[in-house]
Amino acid sequence: MKPQQCAKIKHMKKQSKRLGQLAVEVLGLSSPRGRIIFFVLVSAAIGIGPAKWPISLSVWQHFDLSSPSIGLTRAYRFLLHGDIIGAWQQNKLIFAVIAVGAPLLIKDILQLTSKQAERPRDFENSHAKDAS
């Protein structure tokens, strides 16, 4: 095998290992970066998905049981689209959820940005290290 091919394979293995670590971080919500990525992905899925899709997510409704959480996904969808009144009508609890979740999200964002500010990466040097 040529040295260039070996370097390419080594680089691909390193990249796949990083991707696997990131997936564990996101699915495990184990770091500020993982939680932020998870929040963005879930928000995008709820905000972009079909309007009727969130209705079928409620396990409680399938069993004809009442739960205070019924309608939270739809209420969040309304908020993502800027409809505060619609969110209120779907489930008033969404504002309590936002009141608890927003500070946690802001804390994660501040932690992540402060870590990056402490440890600036030179883009070209990081790629030079990866290639070797």
Side-chain angles (χ1 to χ4, degrees):
M1 196 178 290
K2 295 180 183 177
Q4 290 174 335
Q5 289 175 327
C6 288
K8 217 176 219 185
I9 290 171
K10 192 175 184 180
H11 177 72
M12 288 173 57
K13 284 183 179 180
K14 189 181 278 189
Q15 292 295 83
S16 65
K17 183 179 179 182
R18 284 184 185 163
L19 187 60
Q21 289 170 339
L22 181 62
V24 168
E25 203 175 310
V26 170
L27 295 175
L29 305 173
S30 60
S31 70
R33 180 175 71 166
R35 289 187 292 271
I36 291 167
I37 292 171
F38 183 83
F39 170 77
V40 169
L41 291 174
V42 168
S43 294
I46 291 171
I48 296 171
K52 298 283 183 188
W53 175 65
I55 292 170
S56 64
L57 291 178
S58 177
V59 174
W60 303 109
Q61 279 184 329
H62 291 292
F63 296 110
D64 290 328
L65 298 172
S66 181
S67 171
S69 65
I70 290 176
L72 280 175
T73 305
R74 283 174 275 155
Y76 185 58
R77 181 183 173 83
F78 278 112
L79 281 180
L80 289 175
H81 290 274
D83 187 355
I84 295 170
I85 295 169
W88 180 263
Q89 290 171 344
Q90 279 299 313
N91 192 330
K92 295 164 184 61
L93 190 59
I94 189 65
F95 297 99
V97 172
I98 297 295
V100 171
L104 295 173
L105 183 63
I106 291 168
K107 178 185 164 225
D108 281 343
I109 291 169
L110 292 174
Q111 272 186 326
L112 192 63
T113 55
S114 69
K115 283 181 184 177
Q116 287 180 348
E118 291 171 7
R119 194 173 35 108
R121 285 183 60 170
D122 182 15
F123 186 74
E124 291 179 16
N125 286 342
S126 69
H127 281 292
K129 288 178 188 175
D130 288 343
S132 60

